[in-house]
Amino acid sequence: MLMQEVQWPWPMGDHRAPSWLAHEDYSTGRYVYAPRHVLPRHCRAYQEQVKMALCTWLLFLMRIYLALAASTASGTWINVGYQKFPQLEAMRALEVYEVGASPVCTGLKGLSQGQGKLCQLSQDHMPSVARGAKAGIAECQHQFRDRRWNCSTVDDGTVFGPVLGIASRETAFVHAVAAAGVVYSVSRACRDGQLSSCGCSRSGRPRDLNREWIWGGCGDNLEYGYKFTQAFVDVRERERSFKRGSREQGRSLMNLHNNEAGRRAVIKRSKVTCKCHGVSGSCSLITCWQQLASFREIGDYLLDKYDGATEVRVNRRGRLSIRDPRYTLPTANDLVYLDDSPNYCLRNLTIGSLGTQGRVCNRTSAGMDGCNLLCCGRGYNTQKTTIRERCECKFHWCCFVECKTCVRNVDIHTCK
Amino acid sequence: MQGTIIENLSGKKLSVLVVLLIIAQIVCFLIGGLVAPRPASSQNILGTPCRDIRINGSEPGGGKWFYSRGKGSCIPVRFEEFDNHHQAFQVVYVFQMPIPRANEVLDYSRWQQNLIGVLQVDITYHSQMEIAPKTKITLDARLAYRNKGDPDDAWKPYGASVVERILECSIDTNMEQYIYNCSTVPLFELGSLYHDYYLLNIRLPADTEKNINQGLGHITDLWLTVINQNGGFTKVWVSLKTIYFPIVLCILVWHWRRVNMLSRAPALLEYMLLALGSALTFLNMPLEYMTLAFDMPFMLLLGDIRQGVFYATLLSFWLVFAGEHLMIQEGEQRNTLKCYWRHLSAVGVGCLSLFMFDMCERGVQLRNPFYSIWVTEIGTKLALSFIILAGVSAGIYLLFLTYMIWKVFMNISAKRAALPSMSSARRLHYEGVIYRFKFLMITTLLCASLTVIGFILGQVAEGQWKWDEDIELEMTSAFFTGVYGMWNIYILALLCLYAPSHKQWPIEPSENSVSDEIEFARLPTDPNEMLSLTAFARKSAME
């Protein structure tokens, strides 16, 4: 049978891709940055930027392997953005970050063992992580507002309930959007100046940071956000060892791939802006920087990827390969999934489906929000109502929006 | 008779010299590529909106500064929490630079030379409130500074201005919550980075009656990108200058002493070489050392002027160089700059208009760092006309130069046709002269085209925005040091090779040496120290 493997390192596809993007070898589970021969240097760089050596990490992971202390943490780290954790809220106001053991991380439900360690090492990042996860959840709910599964959440620490237990497209999207949220929010916090521990240069933390910064400036914060997120989100999948080619390993590979796709979405959607400042302001000297897009744009991009996600499976060699060789290989920007989505039409709490009964649908739409598709052919009820809404708004800088109130009579359709 | 050194230098010595210069050139390039960091780096700062407690909209006092870090920092406002009763003047966007990294408070160093601030406005699209493609935005911008050791709140005012800028915004996909694609707004330029910390407070005053900031749409964020020269680049740059400055100065003095030792008055070409050498020395002067001790905000302007003077002299030199080798002069008529007034006026007008433009932009910025000529309609037209004038002058200059070079080559080939009829010694001699003249022309062309190609390559490489983390060669810096070194070496070579030589013409031993000597005796030898190329030209014209 013709079988194509998902290739690593990923074909970059465009020359704009920053070289610090990870190239990973899933079969060995090792991080390899491009180019491969400079691993030690990057190791050091990595260490400084997230205050933890990759090298140390590998040792740490090996220790975990040896101890076979497989994480038993239930739920997901996304929980930090869902549940309200007073310690995170308080940190935002106080801005006092004490490195060392502190109660900030202990109460955070959903973090795996490695994530807990990372949390303690970089406590000041946690509000940003929480904000990012929160943005991810909100974006998921916005993107899926018209779909059968509407990104509904539950209050038990798993955030999305049993849905995440299935290796479906939806899980892929959730992982990607949450990772994207963290990249976005950490990068933003760095640029804000409030997250003061963002790394500086690619060569890691030099002995004399101030001198290094005067010599050659600092790297981009987007890179920092990417690398931090990579460490924080991916560590979950790396602290457990699986039998090669097993289902669990496939699931882990899928999560890693989708996390990466989410992180890259932020970079992919960011815009490059340049300024000429040479002699007399000419372009003999030009400086460029990355400008973040709105998170909505990133969400839309990921939804596109969700619709075009590729079904993969794990082969005996412990690599992902595509199910149907007729499809093109997914790149690092694409989402992959292992299993088909369950039927979200009917209420089935064991798979986390709330069913579409009672959902508002659009009678005239042919898309997913159309009554036909959303109600799964069960039909709909129609109710006449009058709604008042704001219209013809004018925004007055800074702080208020002047709107008229419009009254409309509408029919509201709800699924049976 | 005597000639210049280039004519009397043997091919072997010349090639050794050329190889040495090429090695020096490569070293310059590599220093830029391997030692120096990028010429400039940027920090992208997200504005922190702070709340001004004033109730009425009176002018804020000069002493009231809002800052986001340190003791007494303002409490950031979250716009969701803002109720409708606040006024526009009560929202202050705070940018405190530089941003800290790795838990360390960074400060600017004087090595970093200058600071350019660019503002970006994130406006969220709402179908209910679309904005015009061109919107005027009024900013009340205040800049303050603080030094290391000062208390956290001891901000001292640096400059303040209410400035207007044009925001050009477009959106590709009209989707809710997307951000408009707005052009960047150049905000300020500081010619010296004398202090350690800077603080920018921006208000967006709103006035319904005067229609100030009314059509802005939903501003979500203000981003400030500050670009500063890299200290490492400055260090490498200044070191290059420190090395070249005494070398060029010595060679220049040596050259001029040699010229003065001649019994005749210096020729026009020698005056031009002196001017060129002086302009280069002016450019090479490592004045940057002074910025480490003194506040010199005029350095950006001075740098532009120094480069302008140098390039103007270089361009004039080429014209005169080509003109002096036209080989059409007759008799003892001595060329002066006056003969070239038409050609040189192109250079003059071009450089003058660029100078005017620079004075209007960077000159005024000395007084008001927020000033920009491009914001007003008249200013834009003025700036554009200056630039267009400079462009036209450049075009005319290029036409003149190509025409003259073409003429020189035509003359040379015409003379060359007459070469076979000459005796062997003379032929060898003329061939040598022509060869060396062409050699220099080719070097010039090579230098000029390398500069242009390097510039274009640099632009393309930057335009594609590579994150060249793993490429150790910094192309932009290499380009700058390479070009800088190249013109230094080029002019050093000119000064050396075009200095008058002590040597006599080499006379080839030949059987009919008697006739050769007779023929040489026929050469116009007085004043016997005239530039041999001119002599050659004149003589061939006689033939």
Side-chain angles (χ1 to χ4, degrees):
Chain A
M1 190 187 125
L2 218 152
M3 203 163 64
Q4 273 181 296
E5 274 183 9
V6 181
Q7 286 294 315
W8 305 101
W10 292 290
M12 281 294 184
D14 64 337
H15 57 263
R16 257 194 60 195
S19 58
W20 38 259
L21 292 182
H23 291 207
E24 280 183 69
D25 191 344
Y26 277 0
S27 59
T28 58
R30 237 183 354 182
Y31 267 57
V32 183
Y33 286 97
R36 286 157 189 260
H37 60 267
V38 289
L39 179 67
R41 202 189 65 144
H42 278 282
C43 254
R44 263 177 275 127
Y46 186 71
Q47 167 183 27
E48 301 307 340
Q49 291 207 341
V50 293
K51 293 199 244 161
M52 170 145 305
L54 172 65
C55 309
T56 321
W57 256 115
L58 288 175
L59 287 176
F60 171 67
L61 293 183
M62 274 168 69
R63 221 173 56 213
I64 290 179
Y65 291 145
L66 290 174
L68 282 177
S71 164
T72 48
S74 68
T76 165
W77 64 271
I78 304 170
N79 193 33
V80 297
Y82 181 69
Q83 239 177 334
K84 284 232 181 299
F85 292 103
Q87 66 264 44
L88 293 181
E89 309 272 325
M91 266 176 81
R92 243 174 265 181
L94 283 172
E95 293 172 39
V96 179
Y97 313 125
E98 285 162 22
V99 182
S102 123
V104 171
C105 299
T106 45
L108 297 183
K109 264 203 291 181
L111 296 190
S112 76
Q113 208 173 11
Q115 283 174 330
K117 279 240 156 77
L118 263 178
C119 169
Q120 272 182 6
L121 280 164
S122 38
Q123 287 169 26
D124 51 347
H125 288 59
M126 294 321 287
S128 301
V129 171
R131 228 172 300 156
K134 200 171 165 184
I137 298 168
E139 191 55 36
C140 174
Q141 290 182 340
H142 171 84
Q143 295 295 344
F144 283 83
R145 66 197 182 283
D146 295 332
R147 306 221 173 195
R148 287 178 185 171
W149 177 70
N150 64 351
C151 209
S152 49
T153 50
V154 288
D155 286 332
D156 64 349
T158 59
V159 185
F160 298 100
V163 170
L164 286 196
I166 306 162
S168 62
R169 278 172 193 257
E170 287 72 31
T171 309
F173 181 85
V174 166
H175 276 106
V177 83
V182 178
V183 176
Y184 192 82
S185 130
V186 169
S187 304
R188 220 180 125 91
C190 289
R191 292 174 182 204
D192 199 347
Q194 301 298 328
L195 185 53
S196 59
S197 56
C198 295
C200 178
S201 73
R202 55 196 145 107
S203 54
R205 185 174 179 162
R207 265 159 300 166
D208 190 344
L209 175 76
N210 212 27
R211 235 164 84 195
E212 183 81 358
W213 129 261
I214 288 166
W215 178 266
C218 275
D220 195 90
N221 285 315
L222 196 48
E223 172 182 356
Y224 180 79
Y226 171 88
K227 284 191 174 163
F228 174 79
T229 312
Q230 189 177 43
F232 184 81
V233 177
D234 284 0
V235 69
R236 220 188 156 78
E237 310 299 334
R238 297 179 185 285
E239 56 196 15
R240 283 170 292 168
S241 60
F242 308 98
K243 198 172 145 276
R244 180 172 288 189
S246 69
R247 218 193 127 62
E248 288 72 35
Q249 196 212 6
R251 179 64 206 270
S252 171
L253 292 182
M254 170 188 148
N255 289 350
L256 284 173
H257 187 111
N258 295 324
N259 292 343
E260 176 68 22
R263 289 191 294 268
R264 286 188 178 215
V266 180
I267 293 156
K268 196 91 179 158
R269 291 331 278 172
S270 68
K271 290 184 203 79
V272 174
T273 315
C274 296
K275 159 88 179 157
C276 294
H277 55 103
V279 180
S280 303
S282 69
C283 285
S284 62
L285 202 55
I286 185 167
T287 299
C288 299
W289 61 92
Q290 295 283 72
Q291 195 190 347
L292 289 171
S294 72
F295 200 62
R296 174 58 35 82
E297 209 172 319
I298 295 163
D300 284 354
Y301 175 80
L302 282 175
L303 190 71
D304 264 5
K305 294 292 178 194
Y306 164 86
D307 286 330
T310 316
E311 189 174 4
V312 294
R313 62 175 193 184
V314 63
N315 62 19
R316 254 171 295 141
R317 283 187 291 153
R319 284 161 167 264
L320 293 179
S321 57
I322 43 177
R323 274 273 157 91
D324 191 336
R326 279 172 303 177
Y327 293 123
T328 49
L329 273 176
T331 65
N333 299 312
D334 295 319
L335 298 182
V336 298
Y337 64 97
L338 294 169
D339 298 327
D340 284 324
S341 302
N343 184 2
Y344 294 113
C345 285
L346 301 170
R347 190 178 174 85
N348 180 355
L349 290 183
T350 53
I351 59 158
S353 164
L354 295 178
T356 59
Q357 196 184 357
R359 294 272 303 277
V360 175
C361 62
N362 182 351
R363 201 171 57 91
T364 50
S365 164
M368 278 311 295
D369 61 334
C371 287
N372 204 13
L373 282 173
L374 191 66
C375 303
C376 310
R378 295 187 306 263
Y380 52 90
N381 301 319
T382 306
Q383 195 183 359
K384 275 197 192 311
T385 43
T386 310
I387 54 165
R388 293 166 170 276
E389 59 178 13
R390 304 201 299 176
C391 59
E392 287 175 48
C393 297
K394 192 167 165 46
F395 182 77
H396 289 277
W397 174 255
C398 65
C399 314
F400 78 102
V401 182
E402 193 179 50
C403 293
K404 287 179 181 161
T405 310
C406 299
V407 180
R408 283 196 300 155
N409 289 319
V410 285
D411 294 338
I412 289 180
H413 313 287
T414 45
C415 291
K416 277 182 182 165
Chain B
M1 79 170 260
Q2 285 176 320
T4 58
I5 286 179
I6 182 165
E7 288 152 74
N8 290 334
L9 216 55
S10 70
K12 206 170 162 189
K13 279 184 189 162
L14 188 66
S15 51
V16 167
L17 192 71
V18 166
V19 167
L20 278 180
L21 292 181
I22 287 177
I23 289 173
Q25 169 63 59
I26 291 172
V27 167
C28 276
F29 183 82
L30 288 182
I31 283 176
L34 296 175
V35 181
R38 273 171 305 165
S41 58
S42 63
Q43 271 201 330
N44 204 335
I45 306 173
L46 175 61
T48 314
C50 286
R51 205 183 130 192
D52 191 344
I53 22 67
R54 283 177 304 124
I55 318 271
N56 57 352
S58 61
E59 265 297 292
K64 183 59 194 160
W65 293 99
F66 294 88
Y67 47 97
S68 52
R69 292 185 298 277
K71 233 184 229 161
S73 61
C74 71
I75 293 165
V77 205
R78 300 187 73 79
F79 270 104
E80 309 94 79
E81 297 159 11
F82 239 56
D83 55 64
N84 292 351
H85 304 300
H86 286 98
Q87 300 289 314
F89 64 84
Q90 288 177 314
V91 179
V92 188
Y93 277 95
V94 170
F95 303 89
Q96 198 175 338
M97 37 202 142
I99 344 183
R101 295 288 190 115
N103 281 326
E104 249 183 72
V105 179
L106 301 176
D107 62 285
Y108 285 119
S109 152
R110 289 176 192 171
W111 283 107
Q112 285 166 323
Q113 297 286 307
N114 49 49
L115 195 70
I116 297 165
V118 181
L119 195 72
Q120 266 175 299
V121 186
D122 275 0
I123 300 174
T124 307
Y125 177 85
H126 294 288
S127 56
Q128 297 287 358
M129 16 180 197
E130 292 188 23
I131 62 165
K134 274 193 180 183
T135 320
K136 200 198 278 175
I137 183 170
T138 308
L139 305 160
D140 176 0
R142 287 148 205 273
L143 195 65
Y145 68 88
R146 190 165 71 82
N147 285 315
K148 255 186 185 169
D150 290 355
D152 281 354
D153 59 347
W155 294 98
K156 296 167 201 72
Y158 188 93
S161 184
V162 176
V163 287
E164 284 181 352
R165 296 287 192 263
I166 305 291
L167 264 184
E168 282 175 40
C169 295
S170 63
I171 193 156
D172 304 330
T173 39
N174 290 9
M175 306 270 264
E176 291 286 325
Q177 299 285 318
Y178 270 47
I179 294 175
Y180 276 99
N181 233 337
C182 288
S183 57
T184 56
V185 176
L187 191 64
F188 63 87
E189 274 193 51
L190 303 184
S192 72
L193 206 49
Y194 187 71
H195 305 289
D196 290 331
Y197 312 104
Y198 288 84
L199 173 74
L200 180 69
N201 278 1
I202 291 184
R203 288 176 179 81
L204 298 169
D207 195 326
T208 8
E209 277 146 45
K210 290 181 198 151
N211 197 24
I212 294 174
N213 285 343
Q214 289 304 302
L216 279 183
H218 180 201
I219 295 181
T220 35
D221 287 312
L222 289 189
W223 299 86
L224 179 78
T225 305
V226 279
I227 302 168
N228 61 274
Q229 192 167 315
N230 274 333
F233 183 77
T234 315
K235 282 176 186 167
V236 170
W237 193 246
V238 172
S239 325
L240 272 184
K241 284 187 162 188
T242 321
I243 293 168
Y244 275 121
F245 177 66
I247 295 178
V248 172
L249 197 64
C250 288
I251 298 280
L252 187 66
V253 169
W254 169 83
H255 174 88
W256 198 239
R257 268 191 52 212
R258 276 223 159 172
V259 170
N260 276 334
M261 266 155 54
L262 303 176
S263 56
R264 63 172 166 84
L268 176 62
L269 210 52
E270 283 155 351
Y271 276 121
M272 284 312 289
L273 267 175
L274 178 73
L276 193 56
S278 312
L280 184 65
T281 314
F282 182 46
L283 181 70
N284 279 345
M285 237 187 283
L287 286 179
E288 282 81 354
Y289 285 123
M290 309 258 287
T291 60
L292 301 180
F294 308 104
D295 191 7
M296 293 162 75
F298 51 84
M299 276 306 282
L300 269 181
L301 182 66
L302 188 68
D304 287 356
I305 290 174
R306 289 205 285 181
Q307 286 216 17
V309 166
F310 171 68
Y311 281 108
T313 326
L314 186 66
L315 296 178
S316 314
F317 171 79
W318 283 341
L319 267 182
V320 174
F321 181 80
E324 290 295 283
H325 291 91
L326 271 180
M327 302 181 272
I328 45 164
Q329 303 100 325
E330 277 158 28
E332 291 307 302
Q333 168 226 354
R334 168 157 267 141
N335 272 335
T336 54
L337 270 185
K338 273 184 199 153
C339 316
Y340 296 99
W341 70 269
R342 262 168 299 149
H343 314 72
L344 290 183
S345 57
V347 179
V349 168
C351 289
L352 217 65
S353 55
L354 277 184
F355 175 69
M356 292 295 287
F357 166 70
D358 228 51
M359 281 307 283
C360 290
E361 174 91 357
R362 285 188 168 162
V364 182
Q365 272 167 3
L366 290 181
R367 297 188 58 125
N368 175 11
F370 296 104
Y371 178 82
S372 171
I373 194 173
W374 296 101
V375 280
T376 57
E377 199 85 347
I378 306 162
T380 308
K381 276 180 188 158
L382 197 70
L384 273 180
S385 51
F386 279 139
I387 288 170
I388 289 169
L389 198 63
V392 169
S393 313
I396 293 174
Y397 169 82
L398 270 182
L399 278 181
F400 268 132
L401 189 67
T402 357
Y403 173 68
M404 282 176 102
I405 289 173
W406 176 75
K407 250 170 105 180
V408 171
F409 274 96
M410 288 305 281
N411 279 347
I412 284 181
S413 56
K415 295 296 177 296
R416 218 182 221 170
L419 279 180
S421 61
M422 298 175 192
S423 67
S424 67
R426 270 180 67 187
R427 196 174 65 238
L428 278 174
H429 164 62
Y430 292 138
E431 274 175 350
V433 171
I434 290 173
Y435 159 72
R436 277 162 193 159
F437 172 72
K438 281 193 171 175
F439 177 80
L440 224 70
M441 289 298 294
I442 285 165
T443 319
T444 308
L445 274 180
L446 198 72
C447 286
S449 50
L450 273 181
T451 310
V452 173
I453 289 169
F455 177 73
I456 291 169
L457 278 183
Q459 296 288 300
V460 171
E462 286 288 357
Q464 286 177 343
W465 180 238
K466 283 187 298 190
W467 300 68
D468 37 13
E469 299 287 297
D470 293 301
I471 304 166
E472 293 293 343
L473 200 66
E474 275 299 342
M475 281 311 287
T476 326
S477 298
F479 164 70
F480 275 101
T481 54
V483 166
Y484 182 70
M486 187 177 71
W487 290 118
N488 262 295
I489 287 166
Y490 174 82
I491 284 156
L492 273 180
L494 281 189
L495 284 175
C496 290
L497 296 176
Y498 270 72
S501 162
H502 292 316
K503 276 192 197 160
Q504 297 296 313
W505 285 117
I507 295 167
E508 300 238 333
S510 69
E511 277 140 35
N512 50 352
S513 59
V514 183
S515 68
D516 263 349
E517 267 165 34
I518 293 167
E519 269 195 304
F520 267 106
R522 271 180 53 224
L523 292 173
T525 47
D526 56 359
N528 59 355
E529 289 158 332
M530 97 164 84
L531 268 177
S532 67
L533 267 176
T534 329
F536 154 70
R538 210 163 287 170
K539 189 206 50 43
S540 12
M542 276 158 56
E543 272 174 2

